[in-house]
Amino acid sequence: MGTALVYHEDMTATRLLWDDPECEIECPERLAAALEGLRHCGLEQRCLRLSACEASEEELGLVHSSDFVALVRKTQAMTKGELQALSKQFDAVYFHPDTFHCARLAVGATLQLVDAVLTGVVHNGFALVRPPGHHSQRAAANGFCVFNNVAIAAKYAKQKHGLHRILIVDWDIHHGQGIQYIFEDDPSVLYFSWHRYEHGRFWPFLRESDADANGQGQGRGFTVNLPWNQVGMGNADYLAAFLHVLLPLAFEFNPELVLVSAGFDSAIGDPEGQMRATPECFAHLTQMLQVLAGGRICFVLEGGYHLESLAQSVCMVVQTLLGDPAPLLPGPMAPCQSALESIQSVREVQAPHWKSLQQDVSPVLSPITHSPEQRSLALIPEGTTCKAVGTALSPLLDRLGLRPTPPVRTAVALTLTSAALALPPDVLHQDGLPLREETEVCVRLHESLAQDEALAAIGKLLCLLDGILDGQVSSGIAATPATVAVATLDVVIQRCLSHGAQRLLCVALGQLDQPLKLADDGGVNRVTCMCMCPWCSLPGRRILWLNIRGKEAATWSMFHISTPLPGTTGGFLSCILGLVLPLAYGFQPDLVLVALGPAHGLQAPQAALLTAMLQGPAGGRVLALVEEEATPQLVRTLAHVLHGEAPPCLGSFLMASPEDIQALMYLKAQLKPQWKLL
Ligand code: X5A
Ligand code: ZN
């Protein structure tokens, strides 16, 4: 079970045969660049390679009229003049004698991928295809697209595999109006698209690309358009769109399959998109989508015209699909005002159709009290579009390849054996007491820890923690004796800080108060926080403490926050997507501690989702602390998500209670001035 890569070299055959500045960017080198990138990074070799076959006439007929298919078939025997004349009948389209073959391969590749994922041959995969598909309509080619690969795949998944709910995420920078038209009145397909819109002044210049187009009839609420009205959208804008629009709806929809119209013209350097999201951002977007549908997710290439940016972004997606941790995101985590306005307007349009949005029909946009956005991300120099894959590609790809991935993905420091726990086979077991002396030093301050069993547990835990801090291990789970949970946490935090961690995020669940002996330097460098606790007196604000427990909402400072544990699935999701992740991404921690303390009250699927999603902000560095008495089922579930698997479903969606909504709104209002992703 792994990741499929579906491809066929013949898809490089179709190309523009005459002069057309609009169409020339959709060139064969796009596929070559993406594939070379994957090879260069050693990713192609890690995938299950599937060779594409042409889709059948019947499969094309799931979306397209037989007249249209017949018309495209005829292009195989046309002269250049005839091809050019036919192309002119459509908007931004070119035909080549090999177009029909390529377009059938593109559909075929997509359907093979869907089959592989839905029959359990692989968990997920990527179809590298040309021509793209999302603009194509029942009887019309459009915007370089001939057959609508992803729309056909959704119909196919419904018809052949009997699925009832499919999510299509279209992150290409153009509006996939073709997909929108095909599923407009179909509530079984949730279509999300963000796109460069500029108030209607960008191609394809359609009124129905705006946020207020949200489906027809039964399908109302199942088309979700997020128009970008300015260029230059970056990582924070894309993250905010996922956290505040797509993911709340996606969780509520609860898809059985996710299809991604994966265009990379939304990435930095692209001549069409003019946006600024870096390739790393696509690793994070991928990781967020992987928690849906039990991880059943198929990526299908759409646009992407800057060869280096395209290749890097494809590598980021495939690397994430393979289970590698997402790299840290560069840049300040503050969405721009225009993005916030777009996000707000689509939330308002969709609110009547989605319980997850009904909590804040008229919420506050963050006031413009701060100085305008500084956008200091380095731009890839322009002018490298659609040239043959040259030497310029390698240095940039090397940068990706050199990013060290820890040799061990997940380690555990537990008292139970792996056989009893049924952990994934390559999870490392930390045992022995190699750090006895250091352990004793660490625990000197805590008399409660000075018993043999406690010392043994702490020794294992520190050994695991050091593995993470040294970059040998990505993530882990450690058991702590419940009676000394707070003291243990203190020891862990001290060690992180003394090992040079710059920013530490502690998500403490249940009855865990902040350790008291944390700051030896209490009182020094108290800059803005009026809180008297030692956490906030640390120089450099190195710890963000977020306590989720069954009490009131409170903010002692922007780094010291307490929120009640919501009682419903809807409330829990709002808390994760609307509070925890925006804070975590805004803080950009080196390491995340998820501490499940006494009476944490979380069900295993909730703990798994929280832990899975907190891998994003810290580059995969998550240490989960569980009580020794934690059930094997909880430990197993956590080990699986840290190991890269999808968390189990939370259960049916129940709307957040008014009290939980109120607590969340209160915290967000308090914290919004400092944490811009909220
Ligand atoms: C698939 C795709 C873009 C067409 C742009 C025409 N099409 N100006 O990115
Ligand atoms: Zn596009």
Side-chain angles (χ1 to χ4, degrees):
M1 285 289 273
T3 298
L5 183 66
V6 197
Y7 177 70
H8 196 295
E9 214 195 298
D10 284 2
M11 283 185 285
T12 57
T14 186
R15 63 193 166 85
L16 181 65
L17 295 174
W18 51 85
D19 242 25
D20 181 347
E22 188 177 15
C23 289
E24 71 188 7
I25 56 176
E26 204 295 287
C27 60
E29 289 78 13
R30 298 177 57 236
L31 281 192
L35 197 65
E36 187 182 303
L38 290 171
R39 292 205 173 119
H40 184 96
C41 296
L43 293 165
E44 189 222 15
Q45 300 83 325
R46 294 170 60 192
C47 292
L48 174 70
R49 285 291 317 265
L50 298 175
S51 176
C53 301
E54 289 189 341
S56 69
E57 201 87 4
E58 189 192 338
E59 288 160 350
L60 300 178
L62 288 168
V63 160
H64 299 287
S65 71
S66 49
D67 285 355
F68 177 63
V69 175
L71 178 68
V72 182
R73 180 189 291 283
K74 278 200 293 188
T75 62
Q76 294 178 103
M78 283 183 184
T79 65
K80 185 171 153 189
E82 290 167 333
L83 290 166
Q84 200 166 358
L86 179 66
S87 301
K88 270 203 224 122
Q89 293 181 23
F90 301 103
D91 184 7
V93 169
Y94 66 85
F95 290 102
H96 175 280
D98 291 325
T99 297
F100 184 64
H101 176 52
C102 291
R104 279 179 67 166
L105 279 175
V107 176
T110 307
L111 299 187
Q112 278 170 265
L113 177 57
V114 168
D115 280 336
V117 167
L118 291 180
T119 58
V121 173
V122 289
H123 281 299
N124 55 41
F126 202 117
L128 269 182
V129 302
R130 277 182 76 238
H134 70 151
H135 299 302
S136 156
Q137 296 149 42
R138 178 172 160 78
N142 182 282
F144 316 153
C145 300
V146 179
F147 299 133
N148 200 316
N149 308 315
V150 166
I152 296 170
K155 293 264 190 191
Y156 178 84
K158 283 175 60 174
Q159 200 187 77
K160 168 143 183 231
H161 294 277
L163 298 198
H164 299 104
R165 288 179 315 279
I166 297 163
L167 169 65
I168 299 178
V169 178
D170 187 342
W171 74 37
D172 186 282
I173 208 56
H174 301 95
H175 180 217
Q177 85 280 34
I179 301 180
Q180 174 168 315
Y181 299 153
I182 291 159
F183 298 110
E184 216 153 40
D185 56 3
D186 184 348
S188 67
V189 176
L190 173 56
Y191 175 62
F192 169 89
S193 173
W194 66 34
H195 34 269
R196 180 171 170 190
Y197 187 60
E198 296 178 292
H199 302 285
R201 288 188 291 273
F202 189 69
W203 190 92
F205 313 106
L206 299 170
R207 179 65 188 80
E208 63 267 31
S209 305
D210 209 349
D212 60 345
N214 70 341
Q216 304 282 349
Q218 295 282 93
R220 233 174 236 295
F222 296 91
T223 294
V224 182
N225 283 331
L226 174 48
W228 297 127
N229 287 317
Q230 280 176 16
V231 296
M233 297 300 166
N235 296 347
D237 305 301
Y238 286 4
L239 280 185
F242 265 48
L243 292 173
H244 300 309
V245 179
L246 173 61
L247 291 176
L249 304 194
F251 275 109
E252 188 173 342
F253 181 67
N254 189 25
E256 299 158 302
L257 173 69
V258 180
L259 300 174
V260 183
S261 267
F264 296 97
D265 40 16
S266 46
I268 191 164
D270 192 276
E272 279 285 310
Q274 304 281 328
M275 299 299 176
R276 291 192 170 197
T278 61
E280 293 85 352
C281 189
F282 295 93
H284 289 265
L285 303 182
T286 301
Q287 196 167 64
M288 290 188 192
L289 295 178
Q290 280 183 290
V291 300
L292 300 164
R296 284 179 292 274
I297 182 164
C298 300
F299 286 77
V300 184
L301 185 66
E302 300 279 1
Y305 308 101
H306 186 292
L307 298 184
E308 296 168 27
S309 182
L310 168 68
Q312 286 191 38
S313 302
V314 168
C315 287
M316 281 292 152
V317 169
V318 171
Q319 183 174 296
T320 309
L321 289 179
L322 284 162
D324 292 358
L328 295 174
L329 279 180
M333 279 298 133
C336 69
Q337 190 61 28
S338 172
L340 290 172
E341 283 165 12
S342 295
I343 287 169
Q344 192 48 41
S345 69
V346 58
R347 282 177 64 102
E348 275 166 25
V349 165
Q350 299 292 346
H353 308 280
W354 298 96
K355 291 180 217 154
S356 51
L357 299 182
Q358 278 158 20
Q359 51 199 28
D360 58 344
V361 197
S362 55
V364 263
L365 282 177
S366 82
I368 324 163
T369 49
H370 55 287
S371 53
E373 274 288 280
Q374 313 157 305
R375 294 184 175 271
S376 53
L377 301 180
L379 251 171
I380 297 173
E382 284 182 35
T384 34
T385 311
C386 254
K387 283 193 208 110
V389 191
T391 45
L393 188 56
S394 293
L396 281 163
L397 290 172
D398 278 339
R399 188 173 62 81
L400 297 180
L402 285 175
R403 195 179 52 78
T405 301
V408 177
R409 169 72 195 237
T410 309
V412 293
L414 301 167
T415 38
L416 286 165
T417 63
S418 60
L421 286 164
L423 298 183
D426 57 332
V427 164
L428 180 89
H429 285 259
Q430 210 82 67
D431 31 42
L433 295 169
L435 296 166
R436 180 89 201 187
E437 261 178 45
E438 281 172 276
T439 307
E440 279 165 5
V441 174
C442 282
V443 302
R444 244 199 334 255
L445 295 169
H446 296 284
E447 268 169 40
S448 58
L449 297 180
Q451 309 136 11
D452 279 354
E453 314 87 81
L455 273 185
I458 306 270
K460 277 189 181 185
L461 184 159
L462 289 180
C463 191
L464 167 54
L465 179 62
D466 284 5
I468 296 177
L469 294 168
D470 297 343
Q472 295 302 306
V473 176
S474 188
S475 61
I477 306 173
T480 61
T483 46
V484 296
V486 174
T488 310
L489 199 52
D490 189 6
V491 171
V492 168
I493 290 166
Q494 300 271 19
R495 190 156 188 94
C496 289
L497 298 182
S498 66
H499 273 55
Q502 292 303 302
R503 286 181 303 279
L504 189 60
L505 168 60
C506 284
V507 180
L509 292 123
Q511 285 159 23
L512 274 177
D513 289 309
Q514 61 278 28
L516 293 173
K517 299 203 171 168
L518 182 74
D520 295 328
D521 53 356
V524 189
N525 281 352
R526 192 183 295 269
V527 187
T528 54
C529 179
M530 299 308 288
C531 173
M532 295 305 288
C533 86
W535 291 84
C536 299
S537 60
L538 280 173
R541 301 277 169 239
R542 294 203 293 175
I543 295 168
L544 171 54
W545 173 267
L546 179 57
N547 195 184
I548 305 177
R549 62 194 295 175
K551 281 207 201 149
E552 79 291 2
T555 58
W556 286 276
S557 80
M558 69 179 284
F559 298 99
H560 183 177
I561 300 155
S562 174
T563 178
L565 175 65
T568 61
T569 45
F572 183 74
L573 284 164
S574 299
C575 177
I576 305 278
L577 300 175
L579 182 72
V580 179
L581 288 171
L583 293 175
Y585 270 105
F587 187 54
Q588 301 180 294
D590 304 302
L591 177 72
V592 178
L593 292 176
V594 180
L596 295 168
H600 60 74
L602 255 66
Q603 291 146 10
Q606 295 180 319
L609 179 70
L610 175 68
T611 307
M613 297 202 82
L614 282 170
Q615 292 176 104
R621 298 192 348 161
V622 173
L623 176 60
L625 299 173
V626 299
E627 293 178 84
E628 244 166 11
E629 298 74 29
T631 63
Q633 189 223 352
L634 174 66
V635 175
R636 188 186 319 124
T637 313
L638 291 180
H640 280 272
V641 295
L642 288 177
H643 197 253
E645 283 166 46
C649 179
L650 287 186
S652 61
F653 188 95
L654 285 177
M655 196 164 165
S657 71
E659 300 77 49
D660 289 339
I661 291 174
Q662 210 189 347
L664 187 62
M665 288 300 108
Y666 167 79
L667 288 174
K668 288 178 69 116
Q670 293 277 302
L671 294 164
K672 250 179 191 174
Q674 291 102 347
W675 299 102
K676 306 294 181 198
L677 269 175
L678 283 171

